Amino acid sequence: MTGQPSTPRPTSTDPLVIFMPSGKRGHFAVGTPVLTAARQLGVDLDSVCGGRGICSKCQIQPSFGAFSKHGVTSREDALSPFNAVEQRYDDKRGLKAGRRLGCQATIQGDVVIDVPAESQVHKQVVRKAAAVRDIIMDPATRLYVIDVAEPDMHDPTGDLQRIEKALQDQWNIQHISCAPSLFPRLQTVLRKGKWQVTAALHKTAADATPELIDLFADLPETGLYGLAIDLGSTTIAAHLCSLEDGRVIASSGLMNPQIRFGEDLMSRVSYAMMNPAGAAEMTAAVREALSNLAAEIISDGQVDPALVTEATIVCNPVMHHLLLGIDPTELGQAPFALATSDALNLAASDLAFTGMNPRANIYILPCIAGHVGADAAAVALSEEPHKSNELSLIVDVGTNAEILLGDKTRVLACSSPTGPAFEGAQISSGQRAAPGAIERVHIDPDTKEPRFSVIGCDLWSDEDGFAEAIATTGVTGICGSGIIEAVAEMRLAGLVDAAGLIGSPAQTGTARAVPTGRTHEYLIFDGTEANGPRITVTQGDIRAIQLAKSALYAGARLLMDEIGVDHVDRVVLAGAFGAHISPKHAMILGMIPDAPLDKVTSAGNAAGTGARIALCSLSARAEVEALVHRITKVETAIEPRFQEHFVAANAIPHATAPYPHLPPLPQVSFNSGGRDNGGAGRRRRRAK
Amino acid sequence: MTGQPSTPRPTSTDPLVIFMPSGKRGHFAVGTPVLTAARQLGVDLDSVCGGRGICSKCQIQPSFGAFSKHGVTSREDALSPFNAVEQRYDDKRGLKAGRRLGCQATIQGDVVIDVPAESQVHKQVVRKAAAVRDIIMDPATRLYVIDVAEPDMHDPTGDLQRIEKALQDQWNIQHISCAPSLFPRLQTVLRKGKWQVTAALHKTAADATPELIDLFADLPETGLYGLAIDLGSTTIAAHLCSLEDGRVIASSGLMNPQIRFGEDLMSRVSYAMMNPAGAAEMTAAVREALSNLAAEIISDGQVDPALVTEATIVCNPVMHHLLLGIDPTELGQAPFALATSDALNLAASDLAFTGMNPRANIYILPCIAGHVGADAAAVALSEEPHKSNELSLIVDVGTNAEILLGDKTRVLACSSPTGPAFEGAQISSGQRAAPGAIERVHIDPDTKEPRFSVIGCDLWSDEDGFAEAIATTGVTGICGSGIIEAVAEMRLAGLVDAAGLIGSPAQTGTARAVPTGRTHEYLIFDGTEANGPRITVTQGDIRAIQLAKSALYAGARLLMDEIGVDHVDRVVLAGAFGAHISPKHAMILGMIPDAPLDKVTSAGNAAGTGARIALCSLSARAEVEALVHRITKVETAIEPRFQEHFVAANAIPHATAPYPHLPPLPQVSFNSGGRDNGGAGRRRRRAK
């Protein structure tokens, strides 16, 4: 390594150096750079430039005290004086008071060296929301500054071979491969960088041979970036994250364009079965959407696309196959065989994925089974049921719900076809969670009058200034969490009975229950005077929510049957787009089994978080790859008990299990015989 | 392995089995399949189907004699009777008399088993022409028949993961990767093959992780194929070879379409320097040509393109870089730095190479230096100077000549810019070696009348039936070996003097020396009466040959200077398109240093042969990769002695060294002062 002197073996008479917070210590010869001492002791001190005083990653803070047997060491004696390289860096970028560059400061006497968190390679990133677990940075792609030998006519070797030699000599990286599409860039970058360049090396695993995926003439000071992508049936969400510290730089989402081929998974499988080029059309659509989303989010984050060298993708099995160009037909029929289930490392070009570095690596998390995908694996990685003493039920609400149930001793998984209602699709006034969407609803049990809040505004609709606050977005529709609250509140207010029927104005005593043909709808917001929407909850909306929540409950119940329990210790609600479902309302609906309300928590987009964890950490990838093999898969599609639970769970809340943790609900019944007689009955008629 | 019984440990009372020709022997329990016994002893007995009686690769021939201590074993007693599997195979494809399938026949008594050559995995392929070395088959891609478990809903794994399991259990292949573009095919092939399929696995080295590059529902009985490609500046030649036995199935060639951007290497480098998109244009041109050539030759060979899973490419550094999409500008100026010099394994898609299996692996041999390419490495692999006791000069004649000089102790290499004259380009009547081209010329020293032969016809032009024999092709031009013979014969016949001047009719005594302005041309063939060409050797042609042969000789001489010798023990002439240069005529021209004529041999297209050896053998690839690091590179472009040798070598033969092995040449001189005063002089004028 540059600047590393060849020193004689140190003895106990040499200065003592103690690194904090690790406490690692050793004696080093006078003149040893702090970075060198840290490396020899295995202290977690970062360096991208390898001690050239360029990257400033190795900042340390010396401190002094009476620990030395030689007595107190003064600040002046312990380390070499501030040198020209440090001064240049301080002038250019500013160095915090007391900080030194570990590669420049050399040991002169006994000293305690504090390694600040940001100088550690394996930084711990504390998640702000729902901090179930921390992420320890261990990214697959890293930067290395190297000095490459200039070509010598009399000892001819290729530029690439001299790059390899530099990585061997300067970073002890013995062998690399090189992405072929990088060949054309090598010469120009080396010459532009005057033979000092920064190599980006990607590894698929801790012990894998690194691949050279890019070369930069200068050190990219911001470090590298990656995309964590949650590819859902209805929505696609992505976070652009720093690979230095896991920070989210920008987030964005869009509707899955495959919706035009079918709202839910089985419709898309059918489309592939019925149309010879159907699967290929859907593959092209989702790949194009991913490229567009990447370009948009990278532009939003004002990041150089060349620095985005990683992406991780979580998705259900049908999305997984369509993304990979595999016909999903096999997933539509028993035995629901996946073409491939293990985690995948692909080149961006394998997926025609543009918008970022063309040699970026795409990591797709492993699938668990034909109906339990990489999204469920990601939820498991994020929520860690396998490390819990409590029996945890984790429900990832999407067009297909991923359900995990388990504790330290075992984890079970299944998926349940809830349909897109929870995401606001197939709901009369539904929309995806975006500014303007109603996300919270409260209905006064006496007046039956609603109040609500919309995404992008902190005020409730009956608070002063609401109209002004939403002037730009308006009230545009109702999102998934909004419709769940609306239906639950309608049940609480006695507007809806246990069978899911909306009462008439006479039965409910409010004109907001508006007759529409043979049924009624409940008016939440009428914006028609200002040419805005009229937002209601229709009888059809309630039926859609009933079908969705019955499917969800039936899946959870099936896993409980497998383990042989009637209750769970805690429930975690997760869902795409971080839609925060209210635990109380979810329980009123009967989406989930009964649990103490303080044991029902919302985890935001756990699948997306799993994608982000995998993006930041190779060891997390190894963990999820091992974990999926330990999860027991339960197949709902062919299980007769699933149908039984599904039918029995139609009531609001369902009638098969008590809900001791809920308040008593109004004893109303609006069934008038001739009208809608309930989802379950309707469903049976349909089946004839 | 299928059909392999679990037997107790054999003892010396069990039957003795001796395999020939290896002589390996051992005792085996009665009932042990011959294939199992062979595997346990490490006998080289092939099997693609793993003992399923499908592939017939494990054919053996039992023989019997008095070797047994139990006395003579009869044919009936030694092996199990011919069984139904063997009978079915014999009925369907025919089994030679006495042959058995090693996987079906089990050991019943003492027996000698002959393993015929075609049943050995590592077959020796004896090269017919110029059998300098044999090829031992060791291809990078192999076929494996596997029985894959059907999917089980209750123990869900991917199809690919069950393929991996089958390879582990049935072939002891512990880990594979899978080409992503194969994912979409896995499901259909497995189901079409009813879960018994043939996997094609490619390895980049003996100890590398194999990659699954294709899956076939049936066992491809012909085995796999590969393309050995010699990508020259002027011509591209390719052989389609069996990866089972190295046999050439079809051969073809075409002109390098980059010629329109410049005749020789430096013109193309200039084109890249002068035109912003120049390199990209040339890359696209050569890639398209390779794809077209592959499609043509595979169609000619009537081979399924999916079975062509390999290609090897040899080329000079400029072609190498343009093929890879690398700007060759750096190769046009000191220090002539290559972007990458090591051998490369690329996917066909990396080079936009179509016409064969889309997941075929392309192996590009290593380059030696900026002016000494993979073609020189291939010549070294083919001709093996490093294994020779004699000091060998190997000259690969092309637009750029690759020159190797060495023996067991050391090998030197350089390249020399001969230009395209030796390939028939820049010659007035020149053409590439193809039917109709004059390839042999003889001129009667008394009458000065020529006779010649053309490619595609065994008769000389003065033999009976010649006109009829060439009726379809006609006489179309003169190829590289033809022009060399023509000029040398003109010198022998006194039509040309040592300075390279063609004499006048008066000076030479023949009307075939036709005045053309200030110089003369020699008429070989006049087809104008039949609307055919008039084929002559012009003064310009002789100057082009003089420049080419001077460059060639100067390169060889430079290497001899480096070693400090005045003569070499043997000379090997190699060249693209197997153009057989006559050793005598090459020496008369002074192309090569003096040597006993029986020590000057022609090796055909040695670079192409090197490509073919590398195609057939992973160990040959390892050998050439190690060899290039041992070769000392000599740079001609900046060596003043090269210019000196070049100028001094202008005469025919050159005047700087004696040629004791040549007959005395006519002492003529046609220099008339005012006319052409010789190539060297003309060259000097040009340089002003």
Side-chain angles (χ1 to χ4, degrees):
Chain A
M1 190 175 305
T2 308
Q4 181 175 336
S6 157
T7 49
R9 196 176 191 79
T11 67
S12 60
T13 57
D14 286 317
L16 174 66
V17 182
I18 304 180
F19 285 94
M20 295 302 288
S22 66
K24 288 180 177 172
R25 62 183 63 202
H27 292 275
F28 291 90
V30 167
T32 307
V34 172
L35 178 60
T36 305
R39 295 246 157 140
Q40 286 179 16
L41 291 174
V43 169
D44 188 14
L45 176 57
D46 202 357
S47 173
V48 167
C49 72
R52 290 171 179 80
I54 300 171
C55 73
S56 84
K57 302 289 181 199
C58 64
Q59 288 183 31
I60 49 96
Q61 180 119 19
S63 63
F64 312 90
F67 69 91
S68 161
K69 62 185 173 187
H70 308 298
V72 176
T73 312
S74 77
R75 177 179 296 261
E76 286 66 34
D77 293 345
L79 293 181
S80 57
F82 212 69
N83 74 7
V85 171
E86 291 173 289
Q87 191 58 55
R88 193 185 63 201
Y89 184 83
D90 190 23
D91 293 346
K92 208 167 155 195
R93 315 223 178 276
L95 207 51
K96 277 190 198 165
R99 288 279 176 88
R100 301 291 305 271
L101 295 185
C103 62
Q104 301 300 316
T106 63
I107 292 156
Q108 303 294 329
D110 295 353
V111 63
V112 172
I113 302 282
D114 281 318
V115 180
E118 63 268 31
S119 297
Q120 294 167 15
V121 180
H122 301 284
K123 300 169 185 69
Q124 273 210 0
V125 182
V126 179
R127 282 169 50 195
K128 278 180 203 144
V132 174
R133 63 174 287 173
D134 298 336
I135 305 175
I136 295 175
M137 295 306 296
D138 176 23
T141 310
R142 289 183 180 278
L143 295 174
Y144 299 87
V145 175
I146 46 174
D147 287 295
V148 179
E150 295 191 34
D152 175 357
M153 183 161 41
H154 301 292
D155 182 18
T157 54
D159 286 345
L160 177 59
Q161 285 66 41
R162 275 173 278 109
I163 290 170
E164 287 174 357
K165 184 79 169 44
L167 285 165
Q168 277 169 23
D169 295 347
Q170 296 160 37
W171 289 97
N172 199 29
I173 294 167
Q174 290 309 314
H175 189 68
I176 62 163
S177 63
C178 178
S181 70
L182 186 58
F183 292 147
R185 272 174 58 79
L186 298 176
Q187 294 172 323
T188 43
V189 174
L190 281 171
R191 285 154 185 85
K192 192 175 164 207
K194 297 193 174 61
W195 307 97
Q196 185 180 84
V197 292
T198 307
L201 296 187
H202 173 266
K203 286 199 295 191
T204 55
D207 58 352
T209 300
E211 183 181 31
L212 179 65
I213 62 166
D214 220 331
L215 201 66
F216 302 99
D218 297 304
L219 173 64
E221 284 171 20
T222 57
L224 300 173
Y225 301 90
L227 287 170
I229 300 170
D230 179 10
L231 169 56
S233 317
T234 306
T235 53
I236 308 175
H239 298 296
L240 176 67
C241 303
S242 159
L243 294 184
E244 296 243 307
D245 56 16
R247 199 165 29 102
V248 175
I249 309 295
S251 300
S252 189
L254 44 70
M255 299 303 280
N256 188 329
Q258 292 177 343
I259 288 171
R260 66 174 181 272
F261 305 106
E263 284 275 355
D264 57 23
L265 293 179
M266 284 309 118
S267 323
R268 290 186 214 164
V269 173
S270 301
Y271 187 81
M273 291 171 75
M274 307 298 284
N275 297 279
E281 275 180 89
M282 291 188 277
T283 295
V286 72
R287 288 179 173 186
E288 190 188 344
L290 286 183
S291 295
N292 293 344
L293 180 58
E296 180 196 317
I297 197 171
I298 290 167
S299 166
D300 284 355
Q302 297 182 301
V303 160
D304 177 357
L307 298 181
V308 183
T309 54
E310 292 271 336
T312 53
I313 299 179
V314 302
C315 50
N316 62 54
V318 173
M319 292 302 102
H320 179 270
H321 276 35
L322 287 173
L323 175 65
L324 291 172
I326 304 170
D327 189 316
T329 300
E330 290 295 332
L331 298 173
Q333 59 204 26
F336 313 106
L338 287 155
T340 180
S341 52
D342 283 354
L344 295 171
N345 281 288
L346 302 174
S349 57
D350 290 329
L351 300 176
F353 199 159
T354 62
M356 54 183 154
N357 190 306
R359 288 168 294 281
N361 185 79
I362 314 296
Y363 178 79
I364 304 180
L365 275 74
C367 289
I368 298 174
H371 277 165
V372 189
D375 43 5
V379 170
L381 177 64
S382 169
E383 301 306 316
E384 300 186 312
H386 58 294
K387 294 182 181 171
S388 167
N389 287 315
E390 296 176 310
L391 184 65
S392 307
L393 176 71
I394 304 163
V395 179
D396 189 50
V397 183
T399 308
N400 234 44
E402 318 298 330
I403 307 169
L404 296 164
L405 176 66
D407 57 20
K408 271 185 177 169
T409 61
R410 85 233 111 155
V411 177
L412 278 64
C414 72
S415 74
S416 191
T418 50
F422 288 146
E423 293 178 86
Q426 290 184 343
I427 296 295
S428 60
S429 297
Q431 70 159 87
R432 74 181 183 92
I438 293 174
E439 61 169 348
R440 308 292 312 275
V441 176
H442 181 258
I443 300 174
D444 187 296
D446 299 325
T447 65
K448 322 291 185 194
E449 283 301 300
R451 58 192 191 104
F452 57 86
S453 71
V454 300
I455 295 177
C457 174
D458 291 335
L459 299 173
W460 282 82
S461 58
D462 57 353
E463 290 183 285
D464 286 344
F466 176 77
E468 294 73 29
I470 61 153
T472 53
T473 61
V475 180
T476 52
I478 190 162
C479 71
S481 63
I483 189 75
I484 287 168
E485 289 207 8
V487 176
E489 288 282 320
M490 285 167 73
R491 177 77 186 94
L492 272 174
L495 293 163
V496 159
D497 67 10
L501 269 180
I502 303 175
S504 64
Q507 288 167 322
T508 59
T510 174
R512 285 195 175 261
V514 184
T516 54
R518 293 154 52 103
T519 60
H520 299 87
E521 63 183 14
Y522 176 72
L523 179 67
I524 294 182
F525 172 77
D526 190 348
T528 48
E529 279 186 20
N531 289 320
R534 186 169 170 278
I535 296 171
T536 65
V537 178
T538 67
Q539 187 61 57
D541 294 343
I542 293 186
R543 291 297 174 232
I545 290 294
Q546 277 177 290
L547 291 176
K549 72 103 183 180
S550 301
L552 189 61
Y553 181 81
R557 187 67 230 179
L558 199 64
L559 296 189
M560 291 164 73
D561 287 353
E562 283 287 321
I563 292 187
V565 294
D566 270 331
H567 74 279
V568 299
D569 296 329
R570 69 182 186 107
V571 178
V572 179
L573 290 168
F577 274 83
H580 296 290
I581 297 167
S582 148
K584 181 180 101 178
H585 294 103
M587 262 169 64
I588 290 169
L589 273 190
M591 280 172 70
I592 51 175
D594 183 71
L597 270 181
D598 63 349
K599 287 290 192 181
V600 183
T601 55
S602 185
N605 178 3
T609 301
R612 207 181 124 213
I613 294 169
L615 181 67
C616 294
S617 168
L618 270 181
S619 49
R621 296 183 191 181
E623 185 185 340
V624 71
E625 289 165 22
L627 178 58
V628 293
H629 290 293
R630 288 178 44 210
I631 292 178
T632 307
K633 303 88 192 174
V634 177
E635 184 52 67
T636 58
I638 48 110
E639 177 55 68
R641 279 175 305 161
F642 180 82
Q643 275 301 319
E644 289 166 25
H645 285 307
F646 177 83
V647 172
N650 190 256
I652 302 176
H654 60 80
T656 52
Y659 275 87
H661 292 98
L662 279 188
L665 296 172
Q667 298 290 322
V668 291
S669 174
F670 305 131
N671 197 340
S672 55
R675 295 197 172 180
D676 187 307
N677 73 338
R682 194 175 64 157
R683 199 178 159 82
R684 277 197 299 275
R685 279 206 307 279
R686 272 188 181 168
K688 280 176 188 171
Chain B
M1 190 174 304
T2 308
Q4 180 175 336
S6 157
T7 49
R9 197 176 189 80
T11 67
S12 61
T13 58
D14 285 317
L16 173 67
V17 182
I18 304 179
F19 285 94
M20 296 301 289
S22 66
K24 288 180 177 172
R25 62 182 64 201
H27 292 276
F28 291 90
V30 167
T32 306
V34 172
L35 177 60
T36 305
R39 295 244 158 140
Q40 287 181 14
L41 291 174
V43 169
D44 188 14
L45 177 57
D46 201 357
S47 174
V48 166
C49 72
R52 291 170 177 81
I54 300 171
C55 73
S56 85
K57 303 289 182 198
C58 64
Q59 287 184 30
I60 49 94
Q61 179 119 20
S63 63
F64 310 91
F67 70 93
S68 162
K69 61 184 173 187
H70 307 297
V72 177
T73 311
S74 78
R75 176 178 297 260
E76 286 66 36
D77 293 344
L79 293 181
S80 57
F82 210 70
N83 74 6
V85 171
E86 292 173 290
Q87 190 60 54
R88 193 184 64 202
Y89 184 83
D90 190 23
D91 293 346
K92 208 166 153 195
R93 315 227 178 271
L95 207 51
K96 277 192 199 166
R99 288 280 176 88
R100 302 291 303 273
L101 295 185
C103 61
Q104 301 301 316
T106 63
I107 291 157
Q108 303 294 327
D110 294 354
V111 64
V112 172
I113 302 282
D114 281 316
V115 179
E118 63 267 32
S119 297
Q120 295 167 15
V121 180
H122 301 284
K123 298 170 186 69
Q124 273 212 0
V125 183
V126 179
R127 282 169 50 195
K128 277 180 204 143
V132 174
R133 63 174 287 174
D134 299 336
I135 306 174
I136 295 174
M137 295 307 295
D138 176 23
T141 311
R142 289 183 181 278
L143 295 173
Y144 300 86
V145 175
I146 45 174
D147 286 295
V148 178
E150 295 191 32
D152 175 357
M153 184 160 38
H154 302 290
D155 182 18
T157 54
D159 286 345
L160 176 59
Q161 285 66 41
R162 275 172 278 109
I163 290 170
E164 288 174 357
K165 184 80 169 45
L167 286 164
Q168 277 169 21
D169 294 349
Q170 295 160 36
W171 290 98
N172 199 28
I173 294 168
Q174 290 309 315
H175 189 68
I176 63 163
S177 64
C178 177
S181 70
L182 186 58
F183 292 148
R185 271 174 59 78
L186 298 176
Q187 295 172 323
T188 44
V189 174
L190 281 172
R191 286 153 184 86
K192 192 173 165 209
K194 297 192 174 63
W195 307 97
Q196 185 179 85
V197 293
T198 306
L201 295 186
H202 173 265
K203 285 199 295 191
T204 55
D207 58 353
T209 299
E211 183 182 31
L212 180 64
I213 61 165
D214 221 330
L215 201 66
F216 302 99
D218 297 304
L219 172 64
E221 284 171 21
T222 58
L224 300 174
Y225 300 91
L227 287 170
I229 300 171
D230 180 9
L231 169 55
S233 317
T234 307
T235 51
I236 308 175
H239 298 295
L240 177 67
C241 303
S242 159
L243 294 184
E244 294 243 307
D245 56 16
R247 199 165 28 102
V248 175
I249 308 294
S251 299
S252 188
L254 44 71
M255 298 303 281
N256 187 329
Q258 291 178 342
I259 288 172
R260 67 174 180 272
F261 305 105
E263 284 275 355
D264 58 23
L265 294 179
M266 283 310 118
S267 324
R268 290 185 215 165
V269 173
S270 301
Y271 186 81
M273 293 171 73
M274 307 298 285
N275 298 279
E281 276 181 88
M282 290 188 278
T283 295
V286 72
R287 288 178 173 186
E288 190 188 344
L290 286 183
S291 294
N292 292 343
L293 180 59
E296 180 196 316
I297 197 171
I298 290 167
S299 165
D300 283 355
Q302 297 183 301
V303 161
D304 178 356
L307 298 181
V308 183
T309 54
E310 293 271 335
T312 53
I313 300 180
V314 302
C315 50
N316 62 54
V318 174
M319 291 302 102
H320 179 268
H321 276 34
L322 286 173
L323 175 64
L324 292 171
I326 304 170
D327 189 317
T329 300
E330 290 295 333
L331 298 173
Q333 58 205 24
F336 313 106
L338 287 156
T340 181
S341 52
D342 284 354
L344 295 171
N345 281 289
L346 303 173
S349 57
D350 290 329
L351 300 176
F353 199 159
T354 62
M356 54 184 155
N357 190 306
R359 288 168 294 280
N361 185 79
I362 314 296
Y363 178 79
I364 304 180
L365 276 75
C367 288
I368 298 174
H371 277 164
V372 190
D375 43 4
V379 170
L381 177 64
S382 170
E383 300 307 316
E384 300 186 311
H386 58 294
K387 293 183 183 171
S388 166
N389 287 315
E390 294 177 310
L391 184 64
S392 306
L393 176 71
I394 304 162
V395 180
D396 188 50
V397 183
T399 309
N400 234 43
E402 318 298 330
I403 307 170
L404 296 164
L405 177 65
D407 58 20
K408 272 186 177 169
T409 61
R410 83 234 112 152
V411 176
L412 279 65
C414 72
S415 74
S416 192
T418 49
F422 288 146
E423 292 179 85
Q426 290 185 344
I427 297 295
S428 60
S429 298
Q431 69 160 87
R432 75 180 182 94
I438 293 173
E439 61 169 347
R440 308 292 312 273
V441 176
H442 181 259
I443 301 175
D444 187 296
D446 298 325
T447 65
K448 321 290 186 194
E449 284 300 300
R451 61 193 190 104
F452 58 87
S453 71
V454 300
I455 295 176
C457 174
D458 290 335
L459 298 173
W460 282 81
S461 58
D462 57 352
E463 290 184 281
D464 285 345
F466 177 77
E468 294 73 30
I470 61 152
T472 52
T473 61
V475 180
T476 51
I478 190 162
C479 71
S481 63
I483 190 74
I484 288 168
E485 288 207 9
V487 177
E489 287 282 319
M490 285 167 72
R491 176 76 185 96
L492 271 175
L495 293 162
V496 161
D497 67 10
L501 270 179
I502 302 175
S504 65
Q507 287 167 322
T508 59
T510 174
R512 285 195 174 261
V514 183
T516 52
R518 292 154 51 101
T519 60
H520 298 88
E521 63 183 14
Y522 176 72
L523 178 67
I524 294 183
F525 172 77
D526 190 347
T528 47
E529 279 187 21
N531 289 322
R534 185 169 170 279
I535 297 170
T536 65
V537 177
T538 67
Q539 187 62 56
D541 294 344
I542 292 186
R543 293 296 174 232
I545 291 292
Q546 277 177 291
L547 291 176
K549 72 103 184 179
S550 300
L552 189 62
Y553 180 82
R557 186 67 230 179
L558 199 64
L559 296 189
M560 291 164 73
D561 287 354
E562 284 287 320
I563 293 188
V565 294
D566 270 332
H567 74 279
V568 298
D569 296 329
R570 70 182 185 105
V571 178
V572 178
L573 291 168
F577 276 82
H580 295 290
I581 297 167
S582 149
K584 182 180 101 178
H585 294 105
M587 263 170 63
I588 290 170
L589 273 190
M591 281 173 70
I592 52 175
D594 183 71
L597 270 181
D598 63 349
K599 286 289 192 180
V600 183
T601 54
S602 186
N605 178 3
T609 301
R612 209 182 122 211
I613 293 169
L615 181 66
C616 295
S617 168
L618 270 181
S619 50
R621 297 183 191 181
E623 185 185 339
V624 71
E625 288 165 22
L627 179 57
V628 293
H629 290 292
R630 288 177 45 211
I631 292 178
T632 307
K633 303 88 191 175
V634 177
E635 185 50 68
T636 57
I638 47 109
E639 177 55 68
R641 280 176 306 161
F642 180 81
Q643 276 301 320
E644 289 166 26
H645 285 307
F646 177 83
V647 172
N650 190 257
I652 303 177
H654 62 79
T656 53
Y659 274 86
H661 291 98
L662 279 187
L665 297 171
Q667 297 291 324
V668 291
S669 174
F670 304 131
N671 196 340
S672 56
R675 294 198 173 181
D676 187 308
N677 73 338
R682 194 174 64 158
R683 198 179 158 83
R684 277 194 299 275
R685 278 206 308 279
R686 273 189 182 169
K688 279 176 189 170

